[in-house]
Amino acid sequence: QVQPVESGGGLVQAGGSLGLSCAASGSRFTINTMAWYRQAPGKQREFVAQITRGHSRNYADSVKGRFTISRDDAKNTVYLQMNSLKPEDTGVYYCWLTVGVSDYSYWGQGTQVTVSS
């Protein structure tokens, strides 16, 4: 079993920056795709950004140019650097990843990001 754990959430003013991390614990596994999703209260969970094993990146239009996703395979960690934050970026941010030949997926517990106006 693989357990992704997010960290770095908090309260930040509009226009500010925040960096999130997601570290995957476990033994003898290979991480394939890693991604970030977010969910605001009363809304559906939405895609934010993803990165493949080959470091190919994809972003939601709403965050393109402001957010950067990256990964460190030696540390089994994915990062999300968020700049020029807006109140509409507020929500719980979830780490998602797939593992091994079977491409089995896992979700983290989420970390709260609140952007004040």
Side-chain angles (χ1 to χ4, degrees), residues 5 32 35 40 55 60 67 80 83 103 110:
V5 179
N32 302 318
H55 290 202
F67 291 10
L80 185 68
N83 299 324
D103 214 28

Side-chain angles (χ1 to χ4, degrees), residues 25-39:
S25 64
S27 299
R28 303 176 68 178
F29 62 90
T30 299
I31 301 176
N32 302 318
T33 300
M34 309 179 79
W36 290 95
Y37 289 75
R38 67 188 182 189
Q39 187 169 20

